[in-house]
Amino acid sequence: MPSGVRDIQLLELKDTISQLNNTISTQNELIRSPQKMLQERDAKDSEKDQLIANLQAQLDYLKTRLFGSTSEIRHEQLPGQLDLFHLQTEDEPEPVPLEVEYIEVKAHRKARKSKAAYDEVFADLPTENVYVDTLTEEQKTCDVCGTMMIPIGHELIRTELRYTEPKLERIDYYATTYECPQCKETEDPRFIKDEGTPALIPGSYASSGLAAHVMYYKYVMSMPLYRQEKDFEHLGVKISRTTMASWIIYCAENYFLPMYEYLHRKLLKRRYLMADETPIQVLKEEGRRPQSKSYVWLVRTGDNGGIPIL
């Protein structure tokens, strides 16, 4: 083989060896770097463990000082110091132990409260009587003479509660127009229209029962409007929470305000009142920035035996 080719191969081998050395050095650096990080982490963990141990020791010491049993008895005596707990002289007699008097308490059993009857538990519910009639004509025939039997009395055999699911009904009101038959052919016919009672909320489909249902479930049963919205969807109608909120506001301002003012006057006559405030942010409040803090005040009468007013 010519020497020139061999020299070229040797140079290539040297370059390859140099690259391998560089690669090995790089790999070693990469290996040493995580090891160094692990060592530093172990050192920090050791410091934390030592700190936790010190804090735990301090905590145990403080808990012992605060909650542990203590004694004010001194076992050593100071020179010239009298012992407060050993002042008894030799002339004083030994104390006579008192006999413990035992009082026997007779065992007693608490009388079990009688179970309430249905008439007491369901006193406020409407009652419907159902008379059972499930026998066939053949069963009602006397097995001796073949005569058809007749009912002679009834006996209560069981009681059950029936739940009626809530439902929504659409009611369309139609106005009735009347005309005067005598004035019909004249130049001035007379008409009158019976439009019935006005709606609870002008331009709204809310009935008094529906509005009362929304307010009852929100303020008595603590059901938010968004949950009522989902409940109405299950009944087949989509009523938004915004619509229900507008119903509540309108009824409060137009129907409940006189009652509110009356109860407010009664409340101010009480000797003691209790109050609570809740911070709230109000948007689009006249004369105030949206970032300003407002308050909702809840005021109720005290526990003085009168009728509670909230």
Side-chain angles (χ1 to χ4, degrees), residues 108-143:
H108 65 281
R109 297 182 61 183
K110 184 177 181 181
R112 178 177 295 182
K113 185 179 180 181
S114 60
K115 187 176 181 180
Y118 286 158
D119 292 338
E120 181 182 353
V121 178
F122 308 140
D124 298 332
L125 297 180
T127 303
E128 177 185 356
N129 296 326
V130 178
Y131 298 98
V132 178
D133 187 12
T134 58
L135 298 179
T136 62
E137 296 294 331
E138 183 180 356
Q139 291 173 332
K140 295 179 182 178
T141 303
C142 179
D143 57 354

Side-chain angles (χ1 to χ4, degrees), residues 7 10 16 39 41 48 58 74 106 111 167 178 283:
D7 293 338
L10 290 174
T16 302
Q39 292 176 357
R41 185 177 300 173
K48 291 180 180 179
Q58 295 178 11
R74 297 180 58 91
K106 296 182 179 180
K167 62 180 180 179
Y178 299 88
L283 301 179

Side-chain angles (χ1 to χ4, degrees), residues 25-301:
S25 300
T26 304
Q27 294 294 334
N28 290 333
E29 289 294 333
L30 293 175
I31 292 173
R32 283 193 293 268
S33 179
Q35 291 178 348
K36 185 177 180 181
M37 293 176 60
L38 289 175
Q39 292 176 357
E40 293 177 353
R41 185 177 300 173
D42 291 341
K44 291 182 179 179
D45 290 342
S46 299
E47 294 178 0
K48 291 180 180 179
D49 293 340
Q50 185 62 36
L51 179 59
I52 291 173
N54 295 337
L55 293 176
Q56 185 64 42
Q58 295 178 11
L59 180 61
D60 294 339
Y61 172 75
L62 293 176
K63 287 170 64 177
T64 303
R65 292 293 303 273
L66 183 60
F67 302 107
S69 58
T70 59
S71 175
E72 297 181 355
I73 299 177
R74 297 180 58 91
H75 298 285
E76 69 278 0
Q77 293 294 331
L78 297 178
Q81 178 70 41
L82 296 178
D83 191 353
L84 181 62
F85 302 97
H86 296 82
L87 298 180
Q88 180 180 352
T89 62
E90 296 180 356
D91 298 334
E92 293 180 355
E94 293 290 335
V96 178
L98 297 177
E99 294 183 0
V100 181
E101 181 181 359
Y102 294 95
I103 301 176
E104 183 180 357
V105 180
K106 296 182 179 180
H108 65 281
R109 297 182 61 183
K110 184 177 181 181
R112 178 177 295 182
K113 185 179 180 181
S114 60
K115 187 176 181 180
Y118 286 158
D119 292 338
E120 181 182 353
V121 178
F122 308 140
D124 298 332
L125 297 180
T127 303
E128 177 185 356
N129 296 326
V130 178
Y131 298 98
V132 178
D133 187 12
T134 58
L135 298 179
T136 62
E137 296 294 331
E138 183 180 356
Q139 291 173 332
K140 295 179 182 178
T141 303
C142 179
D143 57 354
V144 175
C145 62
T147 305
M148 182 65 64
M149 296 184 177
I150 60 175
I152 60 173
H154 301 282
E155 179 185 357
L156 178 65
I157 54 177
R158 64 186 177 91
T159 300
E160 69 178 14
L161 291 181
R162 180 185 304 167
Y163 174 75
T164 304
E165 294 185 359
K167 62 180 180 179
L168 292 175
E169 296 177 338
R170 172 179 173 178
I171 302 176
D172 295 332
Y173 291 91
Y174 292 90
T176 303
T177 304
Y178 299 88
E179 70 171 356
C180 178
Q182 297 294 333
C183 301
K184 180 178 180 181
E185 305 297 335
T186 64
E187 296 180 355
D188 187 18
R190 306 298 297 173
F191 300 95
I192 188 174
K193 182 184 293 186
D194 182 8
E195 296 184 354
T197 58
L200 178 72
I201 302 175
S204 174
Y205 54 83
S207 65
S208 57
L210 181 58
H213 171 84
V214 170
M215 289 183 281
Y216 173 78
Y217 270 84
K218 175 174 174 57
Y219 296 105
V220 178
M221 304 303 293
S222 302
M223 180 180 288
L225 294 181
Y226 75 90
R227 292 180 59 186
Q228 296 192 48
E229 180 180 350
K230 293 295 182 182
D231 196 22
F232 283 130
E233 289 181 3
H234 296 159
L235 296 177
V237 179
K238 181 175 178 57
I239 304 177
S240 66
R241 66 196 74 174
T242 306
T243 301
M244 289 185 281
S246 64
W247 294 349
I248 296 174
I249 295 173
Y250 184 89
C251 292
E253 294 177 347
N254 293 271
Y255 298 111
F256 296 155
L257 187 59
M259 181 176 62
Y260 168 84
E261 293 176 346
Y262 171 78
L263 292 176
H264 188 217
R265 292 193 299 269
K266 291 291 185 181
L267 184 141
L268 294 179
K269 295 180 180 179
R270 297 294 182 90
R271 182 176 180 84
Y272 300 104
L273 296 178
M274 295 184 292
D276 178 70
E277 66 176 13
T278 302
I280 190 174
Q281 184 179 7
V282 181
L283 301 179
K284 299 180 181 180
E285 190 174 9
E286 185 177 356
R288 303 189 65 187
R289 300 172 58 242
Q291 293 78 12
S292 59
K293 183 183 295 185
S294 301
Y295 295 93
V296 172
W297 283 85
L298 174 64
V299 183
R300 64 157 297 159
T301 55

